[in-house]
Amino acid sequence: MKSLPMNRKTKKVTALSLLGGGALALYLAFTPGTSTQAGSVVEMYQDPNCGCCTDWADHLREAGFEVNQHKTRDMRSIKIEHGVTPELASCHTALIDGYVIEGHVPAADIKRLLEERSDVVGLTVPGMPHGSPGMETGRYDDYAVLTWQHEDRTPAIFSEYTH
């Protein structure tokens, strides 16, 4: 391809265009309100027969996450592999950006975790509390979203939901 000679004005316009494009890219990458999980995909593992798991995946999609659902009958192995003890367990296990998300964790808490980059294994809502995302049954239980460490699996409260 033959290139045309550039005069001084053309060079200046080209340089400004490149700078403007780079500035726009930086602005979009760091502006609050833009997707903090851009490029991150939720890899979710669930029992093939679980409807509330699919409802939770839909909740995440509505919040802007991309979710890949993997159906398996061996959830126990998935949980063991990712450090989810029986006390922390729920029905599905998800992975995003190096974190484990166990159970019906609200999308807002996942976004907060990704923004804060907390030094934890992940988030969990043990059990299946009514009223949590994916468990909208008309009844509402109080519940907490918990975090845990690899070395010390004593959970800590990340957020609480009371009704």
Side-chain angles (χ1 to χ4, degrees):
M1 183 166 133
K2 184 178 178 183
S3 62
L4 299 174
M6 295 177 74
N7 63 28
R8 209 169 158 191
K9 184 177 179 183
T10 306
K11 287 179 183 177
K12 185 176 180 180
V13 169
T14 302
L16 288 173
S17 295
L18 290 172
L19 284 172
L24 178 62
L26 283 172
Y27 172 79
L28 292 174
F30 293 106
T31 300
T34 60
S35 177
T36 58
Q37 66 275 1
S40 298
V41 176
V42 177
E43 299 294 338
M44 176 185 169
Y45 298 87
Q46 70 180 83
D47 183 275
N49 299 312
C50 187
C52 69
C53 295
T54 298
D55 292 345
W56 181 75
D58 291 342
H59 163 75
L60 291 187
R61 287 184 185 104
E62 289 169 8
F65 288 95
E66 181 180 339
V67 181
N68 292 332
Q69 290 175 258
H70 306 280
K71 302 195 179 201
T72 177
R73 295 205 181 279
D74 191 12
M75 287 302 299
R76 183 173 179 269
S77 293
I78 300 289
K79 291 178 189 316
I80 290 169
E81 178 182 349
H82 297 290
V84 179
T85 63
E87 298 79 27
L88 299 172
S90 184
C91 55
H92 54 266
T93 303
L95 308 172
I96 182 169
D97 209 15
Y99 291 107
V100 177
I101 308 297
E102 179 69 15
H104 296 270
V105 176
D109 288 318
I110 298 169
K111 288 180 178 182
R112 180 179 143 208
L113 175 71
L114 294 174
E115 287 172 9
E116 292 177 0
R117 301 305 304 169
S118 301
D119 185 23
V120 297
V121 175
L123 301 175
T124 181
V125 173
M128 299 167 65
H130 293 271
S132 61
M135 288 294 297
E136 294 89 354
T137 63
R139 186 176 118 194
Y140 295 93
D141 298 332
D142 294 343
Y143 68 94
V145 177
L146 308 174
T147 63
W148 77 100
Q149 302 286 330
H150 279 293
E151 304 78 34
D152 178 11
R153 298 226 171 107
T154 304
I157 294 174
F158 187 77
S159 62
E160 293 181 278
Y161 295 85
T162 56
H163 300 90

